[in-house]
Amino acid sequence: MKRIAVFTSGGDAPGMNACIRAVVRGGIYYGLEVYGIIRGYKGMIEGDFIKMDSKMVSNIIQRGGTILKSARSEEFRTKVGREKAYQQIKAHHIDGLVCIGGNGSFTGAEIFYQEYGVPTVGVAGTIDNDLYGTDYTLGYDTAVNTALDAIDKIRDTADSHDRVFFIEVMGRDSGYIAIQSGIGGGAEIVMVPENPDTFEGVVETLAQATRSTRRSSSIVIVAEGEELGNAHTIAEHVKSKLPYLDIRVTNLGHIQRGGKPTAIDRLLGSRLGLAAVEGLIEGRACVMAGIVNDKVVYTPFGDAIRKKKPLNTDLIKLVNILSI
Ligand code: F6P
């Protein structure tokens, strides 16, 4: 392994820059040449490679987003696209890849390895925390804290105006952001795809809250993947059953993807970036570097992508008990 390339792919996540820095400096430490690929698989296909040095990753550890930019490439899903990408990898004499991304990015890397034998070590980079093989993914902690900050602010209005707020948070099919920000924000209800919810249950909890505790304001956190529907749909249903409630809906959206990474995400990005380089040097391929119980572990892409990381549903019970 003489020359490696690093790229970020899929949704950006705070901490990606810390990880790029660690890959570049870790690679240089081990005597490798390190290239950056701009815009993930799209840049790989187009030959958008740039030689990285230590100075190029100065002053980025504290920045959100990704200096290498990111994209979701449709072309890489095709055989023709991957062939073009391989020609570029060959032309640039790249021996191994570090892919900082999520599910879709690792699926692409797995196919690419099967077709062309280019070894990739992945770093779990997504705010969704939905990858098996790591306790936390890069960006999750920052996203939760961003959501929490917003929830705290919304609670001021909820309380001042005696309102019920339905707040939708990101997570695609996963309720991790919802559960942690919901508990931290003292939500009365947290709705996640991992736990079956009913309209009747939500209506009853909110009716009960106003009846028995005379609570004048409530916060309901809805994960974007919630099976009953989005925050608007659920809020409309509740309004039709409890018309006396003053209801508002807020979708936190992409605010959760940006901003300065927390200390936890900077540490995670730094550790996983170095682990990815070391993994390539050790001859690993098609694995994702993650941290389990504070130790670096490498999980085959197949497991990271296809095994479901369970959400601890005791946490839902915790929400229910603490909201009485
Ligand atoms: O995977 C990260 C994520 O932010 C999800 O939570 C969300 O479903 C999706 O990406 C949004 O993607 P885009 O920015 O492409 O709309």
Side-chain angles (χ1 to χ4, degrees):
M1 185 82 35
K2 290 201 178 74
R3 186 179 285 183
I4 64 171
V6 56
F7 62 100
T8 46
S9 172
D12 63 327
M16 281 185 163
N17 282 328
C19 188
I20 294 167
R21 173 177 176 269
V23 173
V24 171
R25 294 195 174 165
I28 292 169
Y29 172 84
Y30 285 113
L32 303 177
E33 280 187 287
V34 185
Y35 278 68
I37 305 175
I38 310 298
R39 291 189 185 82
Y41 291 118
K42 185 170 188 294
M44 198 184 288
I45 290 168
E46 292 167 3
D48 207 350
F49 291 57
I50 171 170
K51 175 121 195 273
M52 306 287 287
D53 62 29
S54 180
K55 199 155 183 323
M56 288 165 80
V57 291
S58 292
N59 201 22
I60 65 164
I61 195 167
Q62 77 282 16
R63 285 168 51 188
T66 158
I67 60 161
L68 292 177
K69 298 185 178 280
S70 193
R72 302 190 200 274
S73 168
E74 281 307 315
E75 201 180 353
F76 194 78
R77 290 173 193 271
T78 67
K79 190 134 185 45
V80 176
R82 291 192 296 274
E83 170 62 27
K84 284 188 202 162
Y86 176 63
Q87 292 309 327
Q88 294 291 351
I89 292 288
K90 226 169 51 171
H92 289 85
H93 306 287
I94 304 294
D95 304 313
L97 295 167
V98 175
C99 169
I100 308 169
N103 254 317
S105 314
F106 298 161
T107 305
E110 195 183 35
I111 298 171
F112 199 51
Y113 181 71
Q114 284 155 7
E115 289 175 346
Y116 299 104
V118 181
T120 301
V121 174
V123 171
T126 164
I127 65 165
D128 297 347
N129 199 29
D130 59 349
L131 286 164
Y132 179 91
T134 190
D135 289 341
Y136 298 106
T137 57
L138 204 50
Y140 170 63
D141 186 65
T142 308
V144 164
N145 281 289
T146 302
L148 191 56
D149 184 49
I151 293 165
D152 288 348
K153 287 174 173 146
I154 290 169
R155 189 176 274 288
D156 287 346
T157 301
D159 187 48
S160 303
H161 289 266
D162 296 332
R163 284 177 178 167
V164 175
F165 267 88
F166 285 79
I167 305 176
E168 185 169 314
V169 298
M170 276 187 165
R172 206 181 292 268
D173 306 319
S174 141
Y176 273 93
I177 297 177
I179 195 71
Q180 194 159 336
S181 63
I183 292 172
E188 278 65 34
I189 301 174
V190 178
M191 304 176 74
V192 295
E194 293 87 347
N195 184 58
D197 294 293
T198 60
F199 283 122
E200 295 72 33
V202 180
V203 169
E204 180 48 32
T205 304
L206 290 173
Q208 179 76 15
T210 33
R211 260 200 315 268
S212 63
T213 63
R214 302 204 180 287
R215 184 176 285 125
S216 56
S217 69
S218 298
I219 300 283
V220 181
I221 302 296
V222 183
E224 72 169 301
E226 164 61 28
E227 289 179 350
L228 280 187
N230 62 26
H232 277 281
T233 312
I234 297 164
E236 267 167 32
H237 183 86
V238 171
K239 184 72 184 169
S240 71
K241 299 289 175 195
L242 306 172
Y244 59 89
L245 289 182
D246 188 6
I247 294 177
R248 292 291 186 279
V249 179
T250 304
N251 187 342
L252 297 187
H254 286 82
I255 189 175
Q256 297 158 97
R257 283 248 293 269
K260 283 163 91 76
T262 58
I264 287 180
D265 278 328
R266 295 181 202 194
L267 177 64
L268 193 59
S270 303
R271 287 183 78 183
L272 294 182
L274 184 63
V277 172
E278 290 175 343
L280 282 175
I281 292 169
E282 286 160 13
R284 296 179 195 270
C286 268
V287 291
M288 178 192 82
I291 304 252
V292 175
N293 293 331
D294 205 30
K295 296 245 169 341
V296 169
V297 294
Y298 298 94
T299 302
F301 278 155
D303 289 349
I305 300 161
R306 286 178 272 280
K307 285 194 178 167
K308 182 87 185 139
K309 178 150 93 179
L311 181 89
N312 181 355
T313 38
D314 284 352
L315 297 178
I316 298 289
K317 190 173 155 203
L318 181 65
V319 174
N320 296 338
I321 292 173
L322 298 187
S323 65
I324 54 171

PDB file of all heavy atoms in Angstrom, residues 125-158:
ATOM      1  N   GLY A 125     -19.939   7.422   8.757  1.00  0.00           N
ATOM      2  CA  GLY A 125     -20.190   8.865   8.803  1.00  0.00           C
ATOM      3  C   GLY A 125     -21.613   9.178   8.403  1.00  0.00           C
ATOM      4  O   GLY A 125     -21.929   9.266   7.216  1.00  0.00           O
ATOM      5  N   THR A 126     -22.495   9.301   9.360  1.00  0.00           N
ATOM      6  CA  THR A 126     -23.885   9.692   9.098  1.00  0.00           C
ATOM      7  C   THR A 126     -24.500  10.143  10.410  1.00  0.00           C
ATOM      8  O   THR A 126     -24.233   9.549  11.454  1.00  0.00           O
ATOM      9  CB  THR A 126     -24.719   8.534   8.515  1.00  0.00           C
ATOM     10  OG1 THR A 126     -26.117   8.863   8.646  1.00  0.00           O
ATOM     11  CG2 THR A 126     -24.490   7.210   9.207  1.00  0.00           C
ATOM     12  N   ILE A 127     -25.343  11.172  10.325  1.00  0.00           N
ATOM     13  CA  ILE A 127     -25.970  11.637  11.565  1.00  0.00           C
ATOM     14  C   ILE A 127     -27.000  10.635  12.087  1.00  0.00           C
ATOM     15  O   ILE A 127     -27.433  10.729  13.228  1.00  0.00           O
ATOM     16  CB  ILE A 127     -26.640  13.017  11.396  1.00  0.00           C
ATOM     17  CG1 ILE A 127     -27.814  12.964  10.408  1.00  0.00           C
ATOM     18  CG2 ILE A 127     -25.625  14.074  11.009  1.00  0.00           C
ATOM     19  CD1 ILE A 127     -28.725  14.189  10.472  1.00  0.00           C
ATOM     20  N   ASP A 128     -27.396   9.668  11.242  1.00  0.00           N
ATOM     21  CA  ASP A 128     -28.525   8.796  11.596  1.00  0.00           C
ATOM     22  C   ASP A 128     -28.196   7.733  12.653  1.00  0.00           C
ATOM     23  O   ASP A 128     -29.096   7.153  13.247  1.00  0.00           O
ATOM     24  CB  ASP A 128     -29.056   8.078  10.346  1.00  0.00           C
ATOM     25  CG  ASP A 128     -29.607   9.052   9.309  1.00  0.00           C
ATOM     26  OD1 ASP A 128     -29.802  10.232   9.641  1.00  0.00           O
ATOM     27  OD2 ASP A 128     -29.817   8.623   8.157  1.00  0.00           O
ATOM     28  N   ASN A 129     -26.923   7.456  12.862  1.00  0.00           N
ATOM     29  CA  ASN A 129     -26.468   6.410  13.802  1.00  0.00           C
ATOM     30  C   ASN A 129     -27.126   5.060  13.508  1.00  0.00           C
ATOM     31  O   ASN A 129     -27.466   4.306  14.427  1.00  0.00           O
ATOM     32  CB  ASN A 129     -26.741   6.823  15.256  1.00  0.00           C
ATOM     33  CG  ASN A 129     -25.901   6.021  16.229  1.00  0.00           C
ATOM     34  OD1 ASN A 129     -24.804   5.579  15.888  1.00  0.00           O
ATOM     35  ND2 ASN A 129     -26.400   5.800  17.440  1.00  0.00           N
ATOM     36  N   ASP A 130     -27.290   4.750  12.243  1.00  0.00           N
ATOM     37  CA  ASP A 130     -28.043   3.545  11.884  1.00  0.00           C
ATOM     38  C   ASP A 130     -27.144   2.430  11.359  1.00  0.00           C
ATOM     39  O   ASP A 130     -27.622   1.517  10.682  1.00  0.00           O
ATOM     40  CB  ASP A 130     -29.112   3.897  10.831  1.00  0.00           C
ATOM     41  CG  ASP A 130     -28.503   4.485   9.555  1.00  0.00           C
ATOM     42  OD1 ASP A 130     -27.307   4.814   9.562  1.00  0.00           O
ATOM     43  OD2 ASP A 130     -29.228   4.606   8.557  1.00  0.00           O
ATOM     44  N   LEU A 131     -25.842   2.494  11.644  1.00  0.00           N
ATOM     45  CA  LEU A 131     -24.965   1.445  11.121  1.00  0.00           C
ATOM     46  C   LEU A 131     -24.581   0.443  12.205  1.00  0.00           C
ATOM     47  O   LEU A 131     -24.110   0.834  13.288  1.00  0.00           O
ATOM     48  CB  LEU A 131     -23.704   2.064  10.501  1.00  0.00           C
ATOM     49  CG  LEU A 131     -23.941   2.748   9.153  1.00  0.00           C
ATOM     50  CD1 LEU A 131     -22.774   3.655   8.799  1.00  0.00           C
ATOM     51  CD2 LEU A 131     -24.147   1.707   8.051  1.00  0.00           C
ATOM     52  N   TYR A 132     -24.775  -0.808  11.879  1.00  0.00           N
ATOM     53  CA  TYR A 132     -24.385  -1.893  12.768  1.00  0.00           C
ATOM     54  C   TYR A 132     -22.847  -1.965  12.805  1.00  0.00           C
ATOM     55  O   TYR A 132     -22.199  -1.803  11.778  1.00  0.00           O
ATOM     56  CB  TYR A 132     -24.963  -3.211  12.215  1.00  0.00           C
ATOM     57  CG  TYR A 132     -24.606  -4.422  13.021  1.00  0.00           C
ATOM     58  CD1 TYR A 132     -25.430  -4.856  14.059  1.00  0.00           C
ATOM     59  CD2 TYR A 132     -23.449  -5.134  12.745  1.00  0.00           C
ATOM     60  CE1 TYR A 132     -25.089  -5.973  14.805  1.00  0.00           C
ATOM     61  CE2 TYR A 132     -23.111  -6.253  13.484  1.00  0.00           C
ATOM     62  CZ  TYR A 132     -23.928  -6.659  14.510  1.00  0.00           C
ATOM     63  OH  TYR A 132     -23.579  -7.758  15.246  1.00  0.00           O
ATOM     64  N   GLY A 133     -22.281  -2.205  13.981  1.00  0.00           N
ATOM     65  CA  GLY A 133     -20.820  -2.349  14.056  1.00  0.00           C
ATOM     66  C   GLY A 133     -20.123  -1.136  14.654  1.00  0.00           C
ATOM     67  O   GLY A 133     -18.896  -1.070  14.683  1.00  0.00           O
ATOM     68  N   THR A 134     -20.892  -0.195  15.143  1.00  0.00           N
ATOM     69  CA  THR A 134     -20.300   0.932  15.871  1.00  0.00           C
ATOM     70  C   THR A 134     -21.349   1.473  16.841  1.00  0.00           C
ATOM     71  O   THR A 134     -22.543   1.502  16.518  1.00  0.00           O
ATOM     72  CB  THR A 134     -19.812   2.045  14.916  1.00  0.00           C
ATOM     73  OG1 THR A 134     -19.052   3.001  15.663  1.00  0.00           O
ATOM     74  CG2 THR A 134     -20.939   2.763  14.190  1.00  0.00           C
ATOM     75  N   ASP A 135     -20.883   1.819  18.031  1.00  0.00           N
ATOM     76  CA  ASP A 135     -21.851   2.345  19.007  1.00  0.00           C
ATOM     77  C   ASP A 135     -22.431   3.659  18.495  1.00  0.00           C
ATOM     78  O   ASP A 135     -23.625   3.913  18.633  1.00  0.00           O
ATOM     79  CB  ASP A 135     -21.176   2.564  20.374  1.00  0.00           C
ATOM     80  CG  ASP A 135     -20.858   1.233  21.051  1.00  0.00           C
ATOM     81  OD1 ASP A 135     -21.463   0.215  20.665  1.00  0.00           O
ATOM     82  OD2 ASP A 135     -19.995   1.211  21.956  1.00  0.00           O
ATOM     83  N   TYR A 136     -21.561   4.475  17.923  1.00  0.00           N
ATOM     84  CA  TYR A 136     -22.006   5.771  17.409  1.00  0.00           C
ATOM     85  C   TYR A 136     -21.389   6.043  16.051  1.00  0.00           C
ATOM     86  O   TYR A 136     -20.248   5.679  15.807  1.00  0.00           O
ATOM     87  CB  TYR A 136     -21.638   6.899  18.389  1.00  0.00           C
ATOM     88  CG  TYR A 136     -22.326   6.721  19.710  1.00  0.00           C
ATOM     89  CD1 TYR A 136     -21.618   6.297  20.833  1.00  0.00           C
ATOM     90  CD2 TYR A 136     -23.695   6.912  19.818  1.00  0.00           C
ATOM     91  CE1 TYR A 136     -22.270   6.079  22.041  1.00  0.00           C
ATOM     92  CE2 TYR A 136     -24.359   6.698  21.018  1.00  0.00           C
ATOM     93  CZ  TYR A 136     -23.636   6.280  22.127  1.00  0.00           C
ATOM     94  OH  TYR A 136     -24.302   6.056  23.301  1.00  0.00           O
ATOM     95  N   THR A 137     -22.139   6.697  15.199  1.00  0.00           N
ATOM     96  CA  THR A 137     -21.603   7.118  13.903  1.00  0.00           C
ATOM     97  C   THR A 137     -21.190   8.592  13.993  1.00  0.00           C
ATOM     98  O   THR A 137     -21.677   9.338  14.848  1.00  0.00           O
ATOM     99  CB  THR A 137     -22.652   6.947  12.782  1.00  0.00           C
ATOM    100  OG1 THR A 137     -23.829   7.705  13.146  1.00  0.00           O
ATOM    101  CG2 THR A 137     -23.025   5.503  12.569  1.00  0.00           C
ATOM    102  N   LEU A 138     -20.334   8.946  13.075  1.00  0.00           N
ATOM    103  CA  LEU A 138     -19.798  10.307  13.018  1.00  0.00           C
ATOM    104  C   LEU A 138     -20.915  11.309  12.705  1.00  0.00           C
ATOM    105  O   LEU A 138     -21.620  11.153  11.717  1.00  0.00           O
ATOM    106  CB  LEU A 138     -18.788  10.304  11.875  1.00  0.00           C
ATOM    107  CG  LEU A 138     -17.665  11.310  11.841  1.00  0.00           C
ATOM    108  CD1 LEU A 138     -16.940  11.349  13.156  1.00  0.00           C
ATOM    109  CD2 LEU A 138     -16.705  10.923  10.715  1.00  0.00           C
ATOM    110  N   GLY A 139     -21.066  12.302  13.557  1.00  0.00           N
ATOM    111  CA  GLY A 139     -22.076  13.337  13.299  1.00  0.00           C
ATOM    112  C   GLY A 139     -23.329  13.185  14.146  1.00  0.00           C
ATOM    113  O   GLY A 139     -24.091  14.142  14.315  1.00  0.00           O
ATOM    114  N   TYR A 140     -23.529  11.984  14.672  1.00  0.00           N
ATOM    115  CA  TYR A 140     -24.746  11.729  15.447  1.00  0.00           C
ATOM    116  C   TYR A 140     -24.801  12.616  16.698  1.00  0.00           C
ATOM    117  O   TYR A 140     -25.805  13.264  16.981  1.00  0.00           O
ATOM    118  CB  TYR A 140     -24.807  10.247  15.814  1.00  0.00           C
ATOM    119  CG  TYR A 140     -25.879   9.902  16.813  1.00  0.00           C
ATOM    120  CD1 TYR A 140     -27.231  10.082  16.514  1.00  0.00           C
ATOM    121  CD2 TYR A 140     -25.556   9.405  18.080  1.00  0.00           C
ATOM    122  CE1 TYR A 140     -28.214   9.779  17.435  1.00  0.00           C
ATOM    123  CE2 TYR A 140     -26.538   9.101  19.005  1.00  0.00           C
ATOM    124  CZ  TYR A 140     -27.859   9.289  18.685  1.00  0.00           C
ATOM    125  OH  TYR A 140     -28.839   8.998  19.595  1.00  0.00           O
ATOM    126  N   ASP A 141     -23.698  12.653  17.428  1.00  0.00           N
ATOM    127  CA  ASP A 141     -23.706  13.418  18.682  1.00  0.00           C
ATOM    128  C   ASP A 141     -23.974  14.907  18.419  1.00  0.00           C
ATOM    129  O   ASP A 141     -24.753  15.541  19.128  1.00  0.00           O
ATOM    130  CB  ASP A 141     -22.363  13.243  19.411  1.00  0.00           C
ATOM    131  CG  ASP A 141     -22.385  13.905  20.778  1.00  0.00           C
ATOM    132  OD1 ASP A 141     -23.159  13.457  21.646  1.00  0.00           O
ATOM    133  OD2 ASP A 141     -21.659  14.905  20.963  1.00  0.00           O
ATOM    134  N   THR A 142     -23.354  15.431  17.373  1.00  0.00           N
ATOM    135  CA  THR A 142     -23.574  16.848  17.050  1.00  0.00           C
ATOM    136  C   THR A 142     -25.031  17.074  16.645  1.00  0.00           C
ATOM    137  O   THR A 142     -25.662  18.045  17.088  1.00  0.00           O
ATOM    138  CB  THR A 142     -22.645  17.297  15.899  1.00  0.00           C
ATOM    139  OG1 THR A 142     -21.310  16.947  16.237  1.00  0.00           O
ATOM    140  CG2 THR A 142     -22.740  18.796  15.661  1.00  0.00           C
ATOM    141  N   ALA A 143     -25.557  16.178  15.817  1.00  0.00           N
ATOM    142  CA  ALA A 143     -26.946  16.328  15.353  1.00  0.00           C
ATOM    143  C   ALA A 143     -27.915  16.296  16.535  1.00  0.00           C
ATOM    144  O   ALA A 143     -28.859  17.096  16.597  1.00  0.00           O
ATOM    145  CB  ALA A 143     -27.287  15.229  14.347  1.00  0.00           C
ATOM    146  N   VAL A 144     -27.667  15.392  17.469  1.00  0.00           N
ATOM    147  CA  VAL A 144     -28.544  15.298  18.645  1.00  0.00           C
ATOM    148  C   VAL A 144     -28.484  16.602  19.441  1.00  0.00           C
ATOM    149  O   VAL A 144     -29.505  17.136  19.872  1.00  0.00           O
ATOM    150  CB  VAL A 144     -28.128  14.105  19.541  1.00  0.00           C
ATOM    151  CG1 VAL A 144     -28.751  14.215  20.925  1.00  0.00           C
ATOM    152  CG2 VAL A 144     -28.537  12.800  18.892  1.00  0.00           C
ATOM    153  N   ASN A 145     -27.283  17.122  19.611  1.00  0.00           N
ATOM    154  CA  ASN A 145     -27.148  18.358  20.388  1.00  0.00           C
ATOM    155  C   ASN A 145     -27.747  19.558  19.671  1.00  0.00           C
ATOM    156  O   ASN A 145     -28.308  20.452  20.308  1.00  0.00           O
ATOM    157  CB  ASN A 145     -25.683  18.590  20.760  1.00  0.00           C
ATOM    158  CG  ASN A 145     -25.314  17.711  21.951  1.00  0.00           C
ATOM    159  OD1 ASN A 145     -25.767  17.965  23.058  1.00  0.00           O
ATOM    160  ND2 ASN A 145     -24.562  16.647  21.713  1.00  0.00           N
ATOM    161  N   THR A 146     -27.658  19.559  18.331  1.00  0.00           N
ATOM    162  CA  THR A 146     -28.303  20.632  17.561  1.00  0.00           C
ATOM    163  C   THR A 146     -29.821  20.538  17.725  1.00  0.00           C
ATOM    164  O   THR A 146     -30.501  21.542  17.954  1.00  0.00           O
ATOM    165  CB  THR A 146     -27.929  20.518  16.067  1.00  0.00           C
ATOM    166  OG1 THR A 146     -26.514  20.586  15.959  1.00  0.00           O
ATOM    167  CG2 THR A 146     -28.557  21.624  15.238  1.00  0.00           C
ATOM    168  N   ALA A 147     -30.338  19.310  17.612  1.00  0.00           N
ATOM    169  CA  ALA A 147     -31.789  19.118  17.764  1.00  0.00           C
ATOM    170  C   ALA A 147     -32.220  19.531  19.174  1.00  0.00           C
ATOM    171  O   ALA A 147     -33.234  20.217  19.351  1.00  0.00           O
ATOM    172  CB  ALA A 147     -32.154  17.662  17.495  1.00  0.00           C
ATOM    173  N   LEU A 148     -31.423  19.156  20.128  1.00  0.00           N
ATOM    174  CA  LEU A 148     -31.751  19.457  21.529  1.00  0.00           C
ATOM    175  C   LEU A 148     -31.808  20.962  21.771  1.00  0.00           C
ATOM    176  O   LEU A 148     -32.710  21.471  22.439  1.00  0.00           O
ATOM    177  CB  LEU A 148     -30.673  18.815  22.410  1.00  0.00           C
ATOM    178  CG  LEU A 148     -30.934  18.767  23.907  1.00  0.00           C
ATOM    179  CD1 LEU A 148     -32.238  18.065  24.204  1.00  0.00           C
ATOM    180  CD2 LEU A 148     -29.776  18.039  24.589  1.00  0.00           C
ATOM    181  N   ASP A 149     -30.855  21.653  21.213  1.00  0.00           N
ATOM    182  CA  ASP A 149     -30.816  23.107  21.357  1.00  0.00           C
ATOM    183  C   ASP A 149     -32.093  23.729  20.768  1.00  0.00           C
ATOM    184  O   ASP A 149     -32.712  24.615  21.366  1.00  0.00           O
ATOM    185  CB  ASP A 149     -29.563  23.609  20.618  1.00  0.00           C
ATOM    186  CG  ASP A 149     -29.371  25.090  20.792  1.00  0.00           C
ATOM    187  OD1 ASP A 149     -29.427  25.558  21.943  1.00  0.00           O
ATOM    188  OD2 ASP A 149     -29.193  25.785  19.775  1.00  0.00           O
ATOM    189  N   ALA A 150     -32.506  23.205  19.620  1.00  0.00           N
ATOM    190  CA  ALA A 150     -33.728  23.711  18.975  1.00  0.00           C
ATOM    191  C   ALA A 150     -34.955  23.373  19.825  1.00  0.00           C
ATOM    192  O   ALA A 150     -35.854  24.201  19.985  1.00  0.00           O
ATOM    193  CB  ALA A 150     -33.858  23.120  17.571  1.00  0.00           C
ATOM    194  N   ILE A 151     -34.971  22.160  20.354  1.00  0.00           N
ATOM    195  CA  ILE A 151     -36.129  21.740  21.178  1.00  0.00           C
ATOM    196  C   ILE A 151     -36.247  22.648  22.410  1.00  0.00           C
ATOM    197  O   ILE A 151     -37.335  23.088  22.775  1.00  0.00           O
ATOM    198  CB  ILE A 151     -35.997  20.252  21.589  1.00  0.00           C
ATOM    199  CG1 ILE A 151     -36.107  19.360  20.350  1.00  0.00           C
ATOM    200  CG2 ILE A 151     -37.047  19.865  22.627  1.00  0.00           C
ATOM    201  CD1 ILE A 151     -35.640  17.920  20.559  1.00  0.00           C
ATOM    202  N   ASP A 152     -35.108  22.917  23.034  1.00  0.00           N
ATOM    203  CA  ASP A 152     -35.123  23.812  24.213  1.00  0.00           C
ATOM    204  C   ASP A 152     -35.747  25.158  23.849  1.00  0.00           C
ATOM    205  O   ASP A 152     -36.544  25.721  24.587  1.00  0.00           O
ATOM    206  CB  ASP A 152     -33.699  24.070  24.727  1.00  0.00           C
ATOM    207  CG  ASP A 152     -33.096  22.854  25.417  1.00  0.00           C
ATOM    208  OD1 ASP A 152     -33.845  21.897  25.698  1.00  0.00           O
ATOM    209  OD2 ASP A 152     -31.871  22.863  25.678  1.00  0.00           O
ATOM    210  N   LYS A 153     -35.371  25.655  22.686  1.00  0.00           N
ATOM    211  CA  LYS A 153     -35.889  26.976  22.276  1.00  0.00           C
ATOM    212  C   LYS A 153     -37.383  26.904  21.989  1.00  0.00           C
ATOM    213  O   LYS A 153     -38.147  27.798  22.358  1.00  0.00           O
ATOM    214  CB  LYS A 153     -35.127  27.475  21.038  1.00  0.00           C
ATOM    215  CG  LYS A 153     -33.721  27.903  21.424  1.00  0.00           C
ATOM    216  CD  LYS A 153     -32.891  28.267  20.236  1.00  0.00           C
ATOM    217  CE  LYS A 153     -31.565  28.837  20.741  1.00  0.00           C
ATOM    218  NZ  LYS A 153     -30.441  28.512  19.857  1.00  0.00           N
ATOM    219  N   ILE A 154     -37.779  25.834  21.303  1.00  0.00           N
ATOM    220  CA  ILE A 154     -39.206  25.677  20.987  1.00  0.00           C
ATOM    221  C   ILE A 154     -40.017  25.523  22.277  1.00  0.00           C
ATOM    222  O   ILE A 154     -41.137  26.010  22.396  1.00  0.00           O
ATOM    223  CB  ILE A 154     -39.410  24.485  20.027  1.00  0.00           C
ATOM    224  CG1 ILE A 154     -38.837  24.851  18.643  1.00  0.00           C
ATOM    225  CG2 ILE A 154     -40.882  24.107  19.921  1.00  0.00           C
ATOM    226  CD1 ILE A 154     -38.725  23.700  17.683  1.00  0.00           C
ATOM    227  N   ARG A 155     -39.426  24.870  23.255  1.00  0.00           N
ATOM    228  CA  ARG A 155     -40.133  24.692  24.530  1.00  0.00           C
ATOM    229  C   ARG A 155     -40.456  26.047  25.182  1.00  0.00           C
ATOM    230  O   ARG A 155     -41.498  26.207  25.811  1.00  0.00           O
ATOM    231  CB  ARG A 155     -39.314  23.814  25.488  1.00  0.00           C
ATOM    232  CG  ARG A 155     -40.105  23.421  26.713  1.00  0.00           C
ATOM    233  CD  ARG A 155     -39.329  22.490  27.585  1.00  0.00           C
ATOM    234  NE  ARG A 155     -39.462  21.086  27.207  1.00  0.00           N
ATOM    235  CZ  ARG A 155     -40.569  20.365  27.393  1.00  0.00           C
ATOM    236  NH1 ARG A 155     -41.649  20.909  27.879  1.00  0.00           N
ATOM    237  NH2 ARG A 155     -40.596  19.084  27.056  1.00  0.00           N
ATOM    238  N   ASP A 156     -39.581  27.008  24.990  1.00  0.00           N
ATOM    239  CA  ASP A 156     -39.877  28.349  25.535  1.00  0.00           C
ATOM    240  C   ASP A 156     -41.199  28.866  24.976  1.00  0.00           C
ATOM    241  O   ASP A 156     -42.047  29.366  25.711  1.00  0.00           O
ATOM    242  CB  ASP A 156     -38.765  29.346  25.156  1.00  0.00           C
ATOM    243  CG  ASP A 156     -37.480  29.090  25.944  1.00  0.00           C
ATOM    244  OD1 ASP A 156     -37.542  28.344  26.943  1.00  0.00           O
ATOM    245  OD2 ASP A 156     -36.437  29.639  25.547  1.00  0.00           O
ATOM    246  N   THR A 157     -41.363  28.723  23.662  1.00  0.00           N
ATOM    247  CA  THR A 157     -42.611  29.187  23.032  1.00  0.00           C
ATOM    248  C   THR A 157     -43.789  28.305  23.441  1.00  0.00           C
ATOM    249  O   THR A 157     -44.881  28.809  23.737  1.00  0.00           O
ATOM    250  CB  THR A 157     -42.462  29.207  21.493  1.00  0.00           C
ATOM    251  OG1 THR A 157     -41.381  30.071  21.165  1.00  0.00           O
ATOM    252  CG2 THR A 157     -43.718  29.698  20.809  1.00  0.00           C
ATOM    253  N   ALA A 158     -43.550  26.991  23.457  1.00  0.00           N
ATOM    254  CA  ALA A 158     -44.623  26.065  23.848  1.00  0.00           C
ATOM    255  C   ALA A 158     -45.146  26.448  25.229  1.00  0.00           C
ATOM    256  O   ALA A 158     -46.359  26.533  25.452  1.00  0.00           O
ATOM    257  CB  ALA A 158     -44.088  24.630  23.847  1.00  0.00           C
TER     258      ALA A 158
END
